[in-house]
Amino acid sequence: MRVLVVKTSSMGDIIHTLPALTDAVQAIPGIRFDWVAEEGFAEIPRWHAAVDKVIPVAIRRWRKQPLKTWKSGEWQAYKQALQAREYDYVIDAQGLIKSAFLVTRLAKGVTCGYDKASVTESLATCCYRNTFAVARQQHAVERIRQLFASSLGYDLPDAKGDFAIRQHFSQETQDEQPYLVFLHSTTRADKHWPEAYWQQLIELAAGERFRVKLPWVTADELARAERLAADNPFVDILPKLNLHDVSAVIAGATACVSVDTGLSHMAAALDRPNITLFGPTDPGLVGGYGKNQLSLEAKRQPVVDLQAEPQVFAPLTADIVWQHLQETLRRSESQAGEV
């Protein structure tokens, strides 16, 4: 059996789809997958052993430059790649009009998706032959797992979902000293944990002889990393890394602390203990999924006074995060000892 997965973006959404593939492999011998994903995230599905081919799309870019996309032949090449194979099933786990009309509708195979009560945008269901009711009030990983089980006709396993990509980095995770990765950057300014707190957390980690690694992508993120490091000998500001290489660093970490960003989901998928810090956003149904994943919400912490922006994070102090991180590390070590 060959299945096309339609889950184009974002990073977290693509990561959340991986456990459904693992379920299907265990239930249906010989099943293989192709996947349509946004060009910036296209390498992630390839890390799962059941994926043979990834068809990149650039829907965000194409919408801004439709004439250029058509004249360049990029659209025609994409459509040819999409329709090169007949699939047994095409599963649209995105549930959006744009993915349904630009991907699912054009693919060859029995199309499957959420029903009108379950889908994000109801018009998308016009492109599905088979639709399934999947309760909304559950984690995104579980919703997608249920969609795949219903579409492909197997019973959903009772066990927690397995992302099954950590083994892709198993040969790249050796380091001479235990280290923590602090994922301090996000695209929304109001989701940044205060720099004063990051610096305090770094000092607490250094006091326990942990090295701390700080990744970055943009110039602003590099500047923040440099401020956080403040000549601390226990801090490594990483070079600018691509997605694969920063994921390899995460895979080798003892644990991570993250703001609300796509790489926090990568830490979970790579089975790394991780604490994600939420201020203006709500972890709701898309918080950390997996072993030793903890979402800390500022609004649930005791209030303190802090002259820092964004103010919503004031209650979520470095001492609170460090306490939870120590508990997470102890739990992780205990689990490792039981294996």
Side-chain angles (χ1 to χ4, degrees):
M1 181 185 293
R2 185 164 293 275
V3 177
L4 179 67
V5 178
V6 181
K7 192 68 163 179
T8 59
S9 64
S10 59
M11 184 191 300
D13 289 342
I14 289 172
I15 291 169
H16 286 158
T17 307
L18 295 169
L21 275 65
T22 308
D23 293 342
V25 167
Q26 294 171 350
I28 305 173
I31 190 171
R32 303 298 298 172
F33 294 91
D34 291 350
W35 193 315
V36 181
E38 275 282 345
E39 54 189 359
F41 307 123
E43 64 184 301
I44 298 175
R46 295 189 182 101
W47 300 343
H48 196 289
V51 175
D52 289 333
K53 178 182 179 182
V54 178
I55 302 170
V57 294
I59 294 174
R60 298 172 180 177
R61 177 166 54 82
W62 293 345
R63 290 170 64 186
K64 295 177 181 178
Q65 300 175 314
L67 188 59
K68 181 179 179 181
T69 300
W70 180 263
K71 287 184 175 180
S72 69
E74 189 175 2
W75 171 259
Q76 291 85 346
Y78 152 71
K79 189 175 178 181
Q80 183 178 10
L82 180 66
Q83 297 180 334
R85 173 175 281 160
E86 180 88 28
Y87 295 96
D88 295 291
Y89 294 96
V90 178
I91 303 179
D92 187 334
Q94 196 81 47
L96 299 177
I97 295 170
K98 63 180 181 181
S99 58
F101 278 80
L102 297 180
V103 185
T104 309
R105 179 179 63 90
L106 302 175
K108 296 178 179 179
V110 177
T111 54
C112 304
Y114 299 107
D115 69 8
K116 287 187 177 181
S118 310
V119 75
T120 303
E121 296 178 350
S122 59
L123 190 58
T125 61
C126 296
C127 299
Y128 310 151
R129 183 187 301 181
N130 299 334
T131 60
F132 303 94
V134 179
R136 288 176 173 271
Q137 296 305 309
Q138 56 184 325
H139 196 282
V141 170
E142 297 301 336
R143 272 176 49 84
I144 299 170
R145 293 178 74 198
Q146 290 177 26
L147 175 63
F148 272 61
S150 297
S151 299
L152 301 177
Y154 58 83
D155 293 330
L156 189 67
D158 293 330
K160 205 169 187 66
D162 180 4
F163 296 95
I165 62 170
R166 179 168 171 76
Q167 58 267 34
H168 180 81
F169 297 94
S170 60
Q171 302 304 313
E172 306 177 45
T173 58
Q174 302 300 317
D175 199 271
E176 69 282 357
Q177 181 180 354
Y179 65 87
L180 307 173
V181 175
F182 288 173
L183 300 170
H184 58 93
S185 296
T186 181
T187 54
R188 274 180 53 179
D190 64 342
K191 294 198 296 184
H192 283 294
W193 200 42
E195 292 185 18
Y197 284 175
W198 278 120
Q199 290 169 337
Q200 292 166 21
L201 188 65
I202 287 170
E203 291 296 329
L204 290 166
E208 294 296 326
R209 316 300 290 179
F210 278 109
R211 296 206 66 80
V212 174
K213 297 183 184 291
L214 302 177
W216 59 276
V217 176
T218 68
D220 286 344
E221 292 171 3
L222 173 59
R224 181 184 304 107
E226 291 172 341
R227 292 192 297 270
L228 298 182
D231 299 320
N232 189 316
F234 283 88
V235 180
D236 299 322
I237 299 176
L238 299 176
K240 188 173 184 178
L241 301 175
N242 59 30
L243 181 57
H244 177 278
D245 291 344
V246 74
S247 298
V249 172
I250 292 171
T254 302
C256 303
V257 178
S258 318
V259 290
D260 179 14
T261 183
L263 286 176
S264 67
H265 300 295
M266 186 64 73
L270 294 171
D271 198 24
R272 294 296 79 207
N274 180 43
I275 295 176
T276 307
L277 311 176
F278 290 88
T281 53
D282 188 336
L285 308 178
V286 292
Y289 179 98
K291 292 189 300 183
N292 298 314
Q293 301 299 305
L294 178 64
S295 298
L296 289 183
E297 295 182 74
K299 63 186 180 183
R300 294 183 180 177
Q301 307 301 330
V303 176
V304 299
D305 182 28
L306 176 72
Q307 297 301 314
E309 294 294 338
Q311 281 291 319
V312 66
F313 274 115
L316 190 53
T317 66
D319 286 336
I320 291 171
V321 175
W322 179 246
Q323 178 183 343
H324 284 289
L325 180 58
Q326 288 179 304
E327 293 171 356
T328 300
L329 289 172
R330 285 193 291 268
R331 184 164 55 251
S332 176
E333 291 172 0
S334 175
Q335 292 169 353
E338 294 172 356
V339 174

